[in-house]
């Protein structure tokens, strides 16, 4: 029990107004039904109690990110950074309240005060300094494409392929980028890459709350795209997809963006790709939140997989499409450490493995990374592959 | 030039405290065309009106302006006064110097000249006013009632009992509507069919009521007082003059399909009467499922077993033509489709059902003879959950409105469940329980306490099937505790929506609905039982979600309005409506689209667009839309408006006209 003084909440209009200004404008719509809370992935993590429904009301009281007590503030920061931005709550909220946006407003405030998790501070810094959250060297950014004859983007090319940071630097994810260009080359698509000139799309740092640095990165990217005369962009990561498509336009971007699954699904429908080799595996598809819920791309990845001969397609019962469960990697989640029995990824992997699948198909580098990392510590034969990798194997 | 009299009212001190009445009277006396001007403390009082009457006669006035309060208050008073003095009432105008002048100003120096110019502008209008008389139409004192639920039944009986003929059209094979499906009704828990069926029988026996079931309105034309209608009576393939309703045909029919009346929880035959007390109690053949029609004359069992030879496979749809003076719309409601609630597995899990299905399980005449068995395996559900606001109060995905009655039926359901299964557990999940009706909160309190019912505050996010159980995922927002509640069965309190076909009907009738297909009343407070279009009246859930008491009240209200209409042979209508200068009208038809009352119609012979004087409400939309100046508002012509405006604009410079 806290002592009385801590239980009494003073309404703090200044904090509230700042948070509204920073994007928490939905707070007054909340009628405290709690639906968000029981649909949130944390609800499925046995030992976790994540009171999503409280955030609007607490924000309206100005009682978020505002504790004077150090320990209390730490607890608050923990809550504010627990959200993985999967938008399961938004999807179900009767009033369309974006709790992740409300929390992002709180994060912006915390970032302004420098009071946010050290690991996240470091990725913001690294993105700022070297254009990627891992602190890898810029000049190594195109190493994944060595020996693959991937041209640099030039005026007149139809598409820019933009793999983003994980596929550019991380060994497992590099294979996805490699498979993708393999398919594009086979289909004689006119495309190139920015190579060492490529910079992180900035999605994750915006979700962490580092709005100013996000704006810097965004403006630089838009300039780079304009200077290079980029009109259409193909992306592997749903995180680049949503940022380019839904967020860059407010900063003056006017290029078209396609997620690779949209592009490949269309090529299959048009008969330009014909998967020939049998892929005799049971494959369950995991809907990445950012591709599905946020951008309504549910059918294209399924269409690709269902066109592969021999492949037995499985769904996670109750938790597919808009009701899918997050892998836990969004909004900075990939970098935050939780105890083993306090991880969303374990819940999701169990759901996926319970289908009896041999392969978990994903369409997002974050999901791939999250699942791969976690499976390492599990005794199981199930493997994770990107949809593009599976397709590449069959053509 | 007209001789105009002006009467300035003090309205006690309401006007005179900020308007210098003497100054006004002196100024107005000088105004061209004014033959007489005077003032009085209360012009609307008897002495005030006598003053007006006396002056009209003595000064031989042929136009008067009353400078007083808003015309919405006393225009009618003064028009009647003028008429009594022999002046055409439409030569009387009111200048509003109270709401638009004295009440909104403090400074007498500002208010006085403003009052003067307001009066002068109205004088200008009055100068060009014509003598008019109200538009009169004959009324056919026969009513059409569309929809035979409790709303349509009540409206029909009330109108018929006042001695007028009624045609009642119901699209299903029997009247009764949803009320016939209910078990017991809140807040008194009387048996729904027991209180409904006497009224149904009364309909069938009433000499003033012609009942058409299995029928729908096919066509309508005309306007208030004189509608021409065509009713399509669907072929039932049963000759009702021979059929006695013995039911042998249904018994022997080999085709069994889901019963609409039992909400899919029971079966009916291809030849069927929806329920035992149906009115009329004559079966119909559902052609879509009948083997005879599906397989070219195979079967015909019903025809063979019917000893009265009542089955007639050659029967055709019939078109019945009728004429009526008023129409009551009582097409009722439906429930929001369960399939839309994917997070609850509704439509997928057989044991997640809606409120009407639960009513059928509770009903003694229902598929389980009033015992509660869950649909999947007939097990008696030992723990049941009720979820409120399903589909309603969710502007983002479903419906923004509160469906008003589902809290109450849910409270009732939980109680009835406990009465049926005393050792069972009932859990209600809700955001709040809305019980705003007479005796409703008391009913809720009683139900909660007597039934030991657990109320949890929170909207569940998911229903997940685990083995035999359905697990409700929820958070109790009052305690912050997570809940995963295993249940045997779940009843969703689905929102009411307008009945299917309501939008098409509204289009055919040319009356309005809101965004959700509920028919719109003329005024949300003051005219709740009539449509904006004259001659159409609204009853029951067709107008918005409501319970039986409200439905019946509205139905009786609509019936009373119909009786008012029928109380005289003729109706009159304000003549302040649009008129057309036939020489100017180019027949472009822009006014037709502009008119919200469908009062403009093309005269194909003259190639001009005429005004239907009965339908025209004088809103002026067509007049401002008319590009050739052919459409004019009577007594508010463009010239009158121009003159009024120039007076108002000139007033600052103080020049005479
Ligand atoms: C689960 C549940 C429980 C309820 N319990 C209670 C209760 O306990 N107490 C209470 O007071 N209220 C209760 N209600 C509310 C009650 O059902 C309604 O208030 C009442 O039935 C409304 O009657 P109505 O005539 O307006 O509509 P309806 O009963 O829907 O009747 C409309 C009729 O019009 C017909 N129709 C529709 N369109 C056309 C057309 N185009 N042409 C011809 N005919 C047409 C339909 O076939 C139907 O017969 C409950 C409602 C539900 C859903
Ligand atoms: S679902 Fe929406 S309305 Fe309901 S508590 Fe959560 S944020 Fe508030
Ligand atoms: S976005 Fe996802 S993780 Fe964040 S609160 Fe909503 S449901 Fe929970
Ligand atoms: S013809 Fe046969 S199927 Fe059709 S109603 Fe008669 S008995 Fe039933
Ligand atoms: S009546 Fe009750 S259950 Fe129905 S929508 Fe309104 S609040 Fe929800």
């Amino acid at each position: 029990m806290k002592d009385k003084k801590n239980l009494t909440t003073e309404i703090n209009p200044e904090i509230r107004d700042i948070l509204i200004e920073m994007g928490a404008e939905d707070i007054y719509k909340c009628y405290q039904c709690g639906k968000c809370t029981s649909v949130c992935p944390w609800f499925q993590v046995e030992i976790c109690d994540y009171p999503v429904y409280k955030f609007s009301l607490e924000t309206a009281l100005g009682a978020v990110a505002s504790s004077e007590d150090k320990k209390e503030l730490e607890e608050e920061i923990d809550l504010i950074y627990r959200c993985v931005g999967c938008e399961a709550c938004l999807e179900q909220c009767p009033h369309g309240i974006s709790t992740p946006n409300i929390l992002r407003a709180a994060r912006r405030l915390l970032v302004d005060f420098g009071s946010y998790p050290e690991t996240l501070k470091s990725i913001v810094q690294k993105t700022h300094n070297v254009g990627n959250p891992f602190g890898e060297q810029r000049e190594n950014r195109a190493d994944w494409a060595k020996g693959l004859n991937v041209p640099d983007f030039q005026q007149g090319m139809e598409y820019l392929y933009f793999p983003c940071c994980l596929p550019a630097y991380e060994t497992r994810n590099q294979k996805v980028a490699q498979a993708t260009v393999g398919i594009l080359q086979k289909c004689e698509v006119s495309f190139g890459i920015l190579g060492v000139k490529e910079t992180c799309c900035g999605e994750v740092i915006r979700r962490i709350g580092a709005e100013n640095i996000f704006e810097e990165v965004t403006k630089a990217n838009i300039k780079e795209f304009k200077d290079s005369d980029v009109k259409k962009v193909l992306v592997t990561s749903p995180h680049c997809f949503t940022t380019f498509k839904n967020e860059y336009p407010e900063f003056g971007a006017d290029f078209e963006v396609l997620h690779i699954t949209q592009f490949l699904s269309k090529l299959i429908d048009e008969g330009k790709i014909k998967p020939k080799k049998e892929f005799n595996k049971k494959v369950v598809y995991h809907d990445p939140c950012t591709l599905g819920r946020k951008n309504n791309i549910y059918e294209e990845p399924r269409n690709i997989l269902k066109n592969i001969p021999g492949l037995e397609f499985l769904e996670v019962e109750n938790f597919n499409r808009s009701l899918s469960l997050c892998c836990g990697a969004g909004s900075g989640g990939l970098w935050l450490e939780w105890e083993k029995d306090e991880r969303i990824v374990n819940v999701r992997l169990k759901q996926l493995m319970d289908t009896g699948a041999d392969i978990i198909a994903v369409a997002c580098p974050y999901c791939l990374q999250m699942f791969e990392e976690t499976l390492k510590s599990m005794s199981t034969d199930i493997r994770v592959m990107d949809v593009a990798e599976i397709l590449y194997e069959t053509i | 030039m007209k001789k105009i009299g002006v009467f300035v009212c003090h309205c006690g001190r309401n006007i005179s405290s900020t308007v210098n009445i003497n100054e006004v009277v002196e100024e107005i006396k000088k105004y061209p065309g004014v033959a007489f001007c005077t003032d009085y403390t209360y012009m609307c009082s008897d002495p005030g009106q006598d003053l007006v009457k006396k002056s009209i006669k003595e000064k031989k006035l042929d136009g008067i302006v009353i400078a007083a309060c808003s015309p919405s208050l006393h225009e009618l008073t003064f028009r009647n006064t003028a008429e009594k003095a022999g002046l055409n009432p439409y030569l009387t105008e009111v200048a509003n110097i109270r709401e638009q002048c004295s009440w909104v100003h403090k400074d007498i120096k500002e208010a006085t000249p403003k009052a003067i110019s307001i009066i002068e502008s109205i004088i200008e209008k009055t100068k060009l006013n014509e003598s008019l008389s109200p538009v009169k139409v004959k009324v056919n004192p026969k009513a059409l009632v569309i929809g035979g639920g409790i709303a349509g039944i009540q409206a029909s009986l009330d109108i018929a009992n006042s001695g007028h003929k009624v045609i009642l059209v119901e699209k299903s094979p029997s009247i009764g509507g949803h009320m016939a499906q209910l078990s017991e009704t809140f807040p008194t828990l009387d048996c729904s069919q027991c209180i409904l069926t006497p009224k149904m029988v009364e309909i069938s026996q009433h000499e003033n009521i012609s009942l058409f079931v299995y029928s729908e309105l096919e066509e309508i034309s005309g306007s208030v007082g004189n509608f021409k209608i065509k009713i399509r009576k669907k072929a039932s393939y049963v000759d009702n003059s021979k059929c006695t309703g013995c039911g042998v045909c249904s018994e022997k029919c080999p085709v069994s399909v889901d019963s609409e009346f039992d909400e899919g929880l029971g079966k009916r035959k291809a030849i069927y009467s929806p329920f035992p007390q149906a009115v009329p109690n004559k079966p119909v053949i559902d052609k879509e499922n009948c083997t005879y029609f599906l397989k070219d004359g195979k079967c015909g069992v019903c025809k063979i077993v019917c000893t009265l030879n009542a089955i007639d496979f050659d029967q055709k749809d019939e078109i019945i033509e009728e004429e009526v003076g008023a129409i009551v719309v009582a097409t009722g409601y439906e429930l929001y489709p369960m399939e839309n609630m994917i997070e609850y597995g509704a439509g997928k899990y057989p044991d997640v059902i809606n409120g009407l299905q639960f009513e059928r399980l509770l009903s003694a005449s229902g598929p389980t003879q009033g015992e509660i068995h869950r649909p999947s395996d007939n097990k008696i559900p030992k723990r049941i959950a009720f979820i409120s606001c399903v589909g309603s109060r969710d502007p983002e995905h479903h419906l923004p409105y509160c469906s008003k009655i589902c809290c109450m039926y849910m409270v009732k359901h939980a109680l009835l469940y406990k009465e049926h299964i005393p050792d069972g557990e009932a859990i209600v999940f809700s955001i709040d329980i809305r019980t705003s009706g007479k005796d409703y909160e008391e009913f809720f309190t009683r139900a909660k306490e007597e039934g030991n019912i657990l109320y949890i505050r929170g909207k569940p996010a998911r229903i997940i099937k685990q083995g035999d159980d359905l697990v409700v995922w929820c958070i109790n927002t009052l305690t912050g505790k997570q809940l995963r509640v295993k249940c045997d069965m779940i009843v969703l309190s689905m929102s009411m929506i307008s009945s299917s076909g309501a939008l098409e009907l509204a289009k055919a009738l040319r009356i309005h609905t809101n965004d959700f297909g509920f028919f719109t009343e003329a005024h949300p407070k003051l005219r709740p039982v009539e449509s904006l279009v004259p001659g159409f009246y609204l009853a029951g859930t067709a107008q918005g979600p409501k319970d039986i008491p409200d439905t019946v009240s509205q139905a009786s209200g609509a019936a009373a309005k119909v009786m008012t209409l029928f109380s005289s042979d003729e109706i009159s209508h304000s003549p302040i409506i649009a008129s057309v200068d036939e020489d100017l009208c180019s027949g472009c038809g822009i006014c037709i689209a502009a008119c919200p009352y469908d009062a403009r119609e093309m005269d194909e012979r003259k190639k001009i667009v005429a005004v239907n004087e009965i339908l025209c409400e004088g809103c002026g939309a067509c007049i401002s839309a008319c590009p050739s100046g052919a459409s004019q508002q009577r007594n508010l012509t463009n010239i009158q408006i121009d003159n009024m405006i120039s007076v108002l604009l000139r007033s600052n410079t103080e020049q005479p006209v």
Side-chain angles (χ1 to χ4, degrees), chain B residues 356-418:
Chain B
L356 280 175
Q357 290 178 312
F358 196 62
E359 292 285 342
R360 295 314 297 145
L361 291 183
L362 290 169
S363 168
S365 71
T368 52
Q369 287 75 45
E371 297 206 2
I372 303 174
H373 294 285
R374 66 179 197 179
S376 66
D377 56 6
N378 269 331
K379 215 170 96 176
I380 292 177
K382 280 299 165 70
R383 193 194 262 165
I384 189 166
F386 298 92
I387 303 181
S388 78
C389 303
V390 185
S392 33
R393 300 175 70 194
D394 185 335
E396 196 62 23
H397 313 90
H398 306 289
L399 305 161
Y401 55 85
C402 166
S403 169
K404 196 169 171 192
I405 61 137
C406 11
C407 277
M408 280 303 288
Y409 77 61
M410 183 174 66
V411 167
K412 172 185 79 171
H413 285 169
L415 180 67
L416 292 178
Y417 167 81
K418 286 293 286 189

Side-chain angles (χ1 to χ4, degrees), chain A residues 58-69:
Chain A
E58 302 263 281
T59 307
L61 293 170
V64 165
S66 59
S67 182
E68 314 255 305
D69 180 280

Side-chain angles (χ1 to χ4, degrees), chain A residues 31-32 35 43 91 318, chain B residues 343 393 397 457 462 484:
Chain A
Y31 62 2
Q32 292 287 292
K35 209 175 177 191
F43 186 86
E91 178 77 24
N318 296 320
Chain B
E343 68 269 35
R393 300 175 70 194
H397 313 90
R457 193 195 176 283
R462 301 295 307 269
R484 287 172 185 74

Side-chain angles (χ1 to χ4, degrees), chain A residues 29 31-39 42-46 48-51 53-54 90-97 317-319 322-323 351, chain B residues 341-344 348-349 389 392-397 431 457-465 473-484:
Chain A
K29 295 190 204 158
Y31 62 2
Q32 292 287 292
C33 70
K35 209 175 177 191
C36 47
T37 311
S38 39
V39 84
W42 292 108
F43 186 86
Q44 294 189 57
V45 175
E46 282 301 325
C48 173
D49 177 20
Y50 196 45
Y53 72 104
K54 288 187 182 164
L90 169 61
E91 178 77 24
Q92 291 290 324
C93 172
H95 288 281
I97 296 165
E317 205 196 344
N318 296 320
F319 299 96
S322 64
L323 298 173
Q351 291 176 348
Chain B
M341 312 308 304
I342 52 163
E343 68 269 35
Y344 293 160
K348 183 169 93 177
Y349 302 145
C389 303
S392 33
R393 300 175 70 194
D394 185 335
E396 196 62 23
H397 313 90
I431 329 178
R457 193 195 176 283
K459 198 170 177 122
R462 301 295 307 269
I463 295 172
I464 306 276
K465 194 164 157 53
W473 288 10
C474 188
I475 178 119
N476 183 340
T477 58
L478 296 180
T479 61
K481 287 273 182 318
Q482 298 185 359
L483 294 165
R484 287 172 185 74

Side-chain angles (χ1 to χ4, degrees), chain A residues 172-188:
Chain A
R172 173 65 191 89
N173 253 300
Q174 284 177 339
K175 299 208 173 71
V176 179
Q178 288 155 356
T180 307
V181 297
I183 302 172
L184 297 180
Q185 286 168 335
K186 252 197 182 151
C187 300
E188 294 175 353

